[in-house]
Amino acid sequence: MGTLLKRALDQAAVWHRAQKRKYPNADVPYISHLAGVAVLLARHGFDEEVVAAGALHDAMEDQGVTFDELSQRFGDRVATLVRHVTEQDRALPWEDRKRLYLEAFPKKPWDAQAITLADKIDNFQSIIVCAREHGDPWSMFKRGRDMQIARFEELRAMCRGLPPHPLLDEYGAVLDELLSTG
């Protein structure tokens, strides 16, 4: 991997510097999540642009970074992948945003789907680690455990229509581990 990923991680750390993970009793910087997504994508053999987009996947949605700024800094492909994984209308209620995101998932290119899956896998792992080491995180989610799990299961069902890939297997295995943690 070249300098693209390093630049993406550095810039993500700057953009998300005030953001924290939803961990009770622990102050975990958000960059932990962004790096986790990048590591998952790299481990599964995705190219540097996909891994960089994974590190930047929340920049537009959470920090208001524009497509043009991402494109100028990291190239059109990275910016396009980030746009693919960004909720399009943040003014809509949570339920509508999540429904629209899931409806669009099957139509996205595989690299964007992979970023979504890596994002969820890292979120699952964070919930598991948090529950074991810092306290129950579910109370920090506005919609609670059951609505979140239903959304994760819906995504698992959609993944059954995709060609086999180890990332899909990991999604299912880590979701099962999450479900078994209570």
Side-chain angles (χ1 to χ4, degrees):
M1 300 251 167
T3 61
L4 176 65
L5 178 56
K6 177 61 179 157
R7 290 187 309 105
L9 285 167
D10 285 353
Q11 190 60 54
V14 171
W15 282 333
H16 294 271
R17 67 183 163 270
Q19 202 172 350
K20 305 294 181 193
R21 293 298 279 159
K22 293 179 181 176
Y23 280 33
N25 310 311
D27 185 19
V28 177
Y30 199 74
I31 191 66
S32 168
H33 170 59
L34 303 172
V37 171
V39 167
L40 280 161
L41 293 165
R43 187 165 44 80
H44 282 283
F46 288 90
D47 67 53
E48 188 175 27
E49 289 177 316
V50 175
V51 176
L56 297 163
H57 78 274
D58 280 334
M60 293 174 78
E61 188 172 305
D62 291 352
Q63 302 305 319
V65 177
T66 66
F67 176 86
D68 288 341
E69 184 173 359
L70 280 172
S71 182
Q72 288 170 0
R73 287 177 179 262
F74 303 104
D76 286 344
R77 182 169 177 235
V78 170
T80 298
L81 286 168
V82 172
R83 184 169 50 198
H84 272 300
V85 299
T86 298
E87 291 179 357
Q88 295 306 305
D89 189 351
R90 298 283 290 169
L92 292 173
W94 184 89
E95 291 81 4
D96 293 336
R97 291 193 328 260
K98 302 307 177 186
R99 178 183 49 77
L100 289 169
Y101 189 90
L102 284 174
E103 286 174 2
F105 178 81
K107 301 170 195 129
K108 294 178 182 180
W110 167 241
D111 289 340
Q113 291 172 332
I115 293 168
T116 292
L117 293 169
D119 175 29
K120 302 307 175 228
I121 292 167
D122 186 77
N123 284 336
F124 300 165
Q125 291 170 333
S126 293
I127 292 167
I128 293 164
V129 167
C130 183
R132 290 180 184 155
E133 298 183 14
H134 304 291
D136 182 12
W138 288 111
S139 64
M140 301 190 74
F141 292 86
K142 292 178 186 165
R143 299 305 191 279
R145 183 184 190 278
D146 292 343
M147 287 186 83
Q148 297 286 350
I149 295 295
R151 194 169 53 92
F152 301 150
E153 288 288 9
E154 192 174 345
L155 183 56
R156 183 194 328 231
M158 289 179 169
C159 289
R160 292 186 185 112
L162 297 175
H165 191 279
L167 186 64
L168 298 170
D169 299 335
E170 186 169 356
Y171 178 88
V174 179
L175 178 54
D176 288 341
E177 184 180 354
L178 175 65
L179 294 172
S180 72
T181 62

